[in-house]
């Protein structure tokens, strides 16, 4: 019996890449066995900065679910659901908004950085500005004990704990769970091919759906030690991203150590390292890619998974919202007088 609840989610702005796998999916596959797991495809949140391109978000909901399933998130263990299908979430947000100041929202460093990136400084859409409170509701609505997320989400979790604590202080002890952030230790920060954080918007990602040919092209562009003028010069393996990939994906640790030695001495070309990185990354992706192709072609399967997960998510969040409204004294029952 699983007695602790885990909630986490992703914005469906594109298919998932190997950085997502290393940074979160792998950990979820482990944790789904121990926790009652809810995984949210956060389409409503994704729309806060894509309101002019809802079709893109809509398409990527199924892409992300296909990625989850292909990687090994098991719908028998985890409830995969679509955020916009849960009206309890915005309703809960409405009550939580009273417990947070505008200043507090404005000080969230993640939202500040995102605003700058999107050029929102002049005029921030209110929906985007408030998304952290909606995210707090996402977490609280599921009575989540743990929320495994990246470090950038730390301010959201701090907010969630504060808001839950404030709600309890105002409306009744232990109505809401104060969630813990979990920054999984086993996760790896896999850089993109240019050495920056792997991200769709930077165009430096390798996707779980990429063909071998596509991966090969990306590997060719991969950053290597920029100070090295010719192959015979000594190189620094720490500056060659292909080596970072070998460190993560190549099981032949000694072989990699030997290559690093040769690279340092000079005489070992980057092409050799990149070819080896291609082999190990493609070997990792190949079985996922194959499963994914079958899954993405099977819309009925994806919808069956989402139907079950979303129904479970609605039931859970409905219970929490009812508990909150009762605690607040908003427990009218006069609708029962209506006879049709
Ligand atoms: N903000 C998260 C992201 O950008 C997605 C998300 C939405 C989420 N709601 C959540 C994560 C609740 C954890 C818990 O990836």
């Amino acid at each position: 019996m699983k007695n602790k609840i885990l909630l986490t989610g992703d914005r469906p702005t594109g298919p998932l890449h190997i950085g997502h796998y290393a940074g979160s999916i792998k950990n979820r596959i482990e944790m789904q066995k121990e926790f009652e797991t809810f995984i949210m495809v956060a389409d409503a949140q994704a729309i806060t900065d894509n309101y002019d391109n809802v079709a893109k978000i809509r398409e990527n909901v199924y892409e992300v679910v296909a990625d989850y399933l292909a990687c090994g998130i098991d719908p028998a263990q985890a409830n995969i659901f679509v955020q916009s299908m849960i009206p309890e979430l915005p309703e809960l947000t409405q009550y939580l908004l009273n417990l947070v100041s505008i200043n507090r929202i404005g000080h969230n460093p993640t939202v500040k950085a995102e605003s700058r990136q999107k050029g929102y400084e002049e005029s921030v859409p209110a929906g985007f500005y408030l998304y952290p409170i909606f995210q707090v509701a996402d977490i609280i609505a599921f009575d989540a004990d743990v929320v495994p997320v990246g470090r950038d989400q730390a301010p959201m979790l701090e907010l969630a704990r504060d808001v839950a604590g404030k709600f309890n202080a105002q409306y009744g002890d232990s109505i809401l769970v104060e969630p813990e952030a979990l920054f999984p230790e086993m996760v790896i920060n896999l850089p993109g091919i240019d050495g920056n954080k792997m991200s769709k918007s930077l165009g430096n990602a390798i996707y779980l759906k990429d063909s071998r040919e596509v991966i090969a092209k990306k590997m060719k562009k991969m950053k290597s030690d920029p100070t090295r003028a010719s192959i015979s010069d000594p190189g620094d393996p720490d500056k060659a991203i292909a080596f970072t990939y070998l460190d993560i994906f190549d099981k032949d640790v000694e072989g990699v150590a030997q290559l690093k030695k040769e690279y340092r001495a000079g005489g070992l070309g980057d092409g050799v390292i990149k070819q080896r990185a291609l082999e190990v990354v493609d070997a990792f992706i190949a079985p996922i890619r194959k499963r994914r192709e079958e899954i993405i072609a099977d819309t009925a399967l994806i919808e069956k998974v989402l139907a079950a997960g979303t129904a479970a998510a609605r039931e859970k969040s409905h219970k929490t919202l009812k508990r909150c409204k009762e605690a607040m004294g908003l427990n009218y029952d006069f609708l029962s007088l209506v006879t049709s």
Side-chain angles (χ1 to χ4, degrees), residues 7-12 20 28 38 40-43 45-46 83 110 114 131 134-139 144 146-150 152-153 156-157:
L7 175 111
T8 192
D10 296 290
R11 297 182 189 194
H20 289 118
R28 294 178 194 172
F38 291 92
M40 165 185 292
V41 186
D43 60 342
Q45 184 179 109
Q83 186 184 30
T110 302
E114 285 171 338
Y131 95 73
F134 283 85
Q135 184 162 330
V136 165
D138 295 344
I139 294 165
V146 294
V147 185
V149 281
D152 64 321
Q153 300 290 308
M156 316 293 180
L157 266 295

Side-chain angles (χ1 to χ4, degrees), residues 105-330:
I105 299 170
H107 288 148
N108 185 313
T110 302
V111 178
K112 268 190 182 165
E114 285 171 338
S115 273
R116 226 175 296 122
Q117 214 184 12
K118 292 170 207 304
Y120 283 164
E121 283 116 322
E122 293 297 309
S123 170
V124 190
F128 177 80
Y129 196 74
L130 294 179
Y131 95 73
I133 317 299
F134 283 85
Q135 184 162 330
V136 165
D138 295 344
I139 294 165
I140 282 177
F142 293 92
D143 290 331
D145 296 291
V146 294
V147 185
V149 281
R151 290 271 167 197
D152 64 321
Q153 300 290 308
M156 316 293 180
L157 266 295
E158 212 176 288
L159 191 60
R161 290 179 62 80
D162 287 0
V163 170
K166 241 183 147 179
F167 189 100
N168 290 341
Q170 184 67 48
Y171 301 116
D173 276 351
S174 311
I175 304 290
L176 293 177
V177 175
E178 293 179 32
E180 298 271 0
L182 185 82
F183 308 112
E185 279 166 36
M186 63 185 276
V187 308
I188 294 160
N189 281 323
L190 185 66
I193 56 171
D194 59 358
N196 295 310
K197 184 181 175 197
M198 190 178 286
S199 132
K200 193 178 78 56
S201 51
L202 294 177
N204 63 3
I206 296 174
Y207 292 95
L208 295 165
K209 64 188 268 188
D210 278 351
S211 66
R212 183 183 168 95
E213 292 68 39
V214 169
I215 303 170
K217 271 196 202 126
K218 291 177 178 175
M219 288 293 177
K220 285 216 173 74
K221 284 195 253 165
M222 191 172 258
K223 189 168 168 255
S224 45
D225 182 351
T227 61
R228 206 158 82 119
S230 86
I231 289 183
S232 53
D233 291 343
D236 181 354
D238 294 339
K239 293 199 179 105
I241 304 303
F243 271 117
T244 309
Y245 278 55
L246 291 184
D247 284 338
I248 293 165
F249 292 102
D250 198 323
K251 294 190 179 77
D252 177 12
V253 178
E254 267 171 42
V256 173
Q258 179 60 30
L259 284 174
K260 284 186 181 177
K261 223 166 107 187
E262 289 171 34
Y263 196 79
R264 272 194 204 93
L268 180 63
D270 284 291
V272 178
I273 313 302
K274 290 180 178 183
Q275 181 64 34
R276 185 156 168 153
L278 166 63
E279 296 306 333
V280 291
V281 169
D282 188 54
F284 165 74
I285 288 182
I288 296 174
R289 184 170 57 216
K290 187 161 172 288
R291 280 196 297 275
R292 195 190 188 285
E293 274 164 18
E294 290 161 16
I295 293 164
I296 200 74
D298 191 350
T299 307
L301 169 75
I302 294 175
E303 291 184 340
K304 213 174 112 199
V305 167
L306 284 175
T310 304
R314 259 208 95 170
E315 194 188 325
K316 178 70 190 168
S317 56
H318 188 75
K319 278 188 192 150
T320 311
L321 179 65
K322 188 158 179 274
R323 201 168 74 232
C324 287
K325 289 177 81 172
E326 275 166 7
M328 294 171 76
L330 296 173

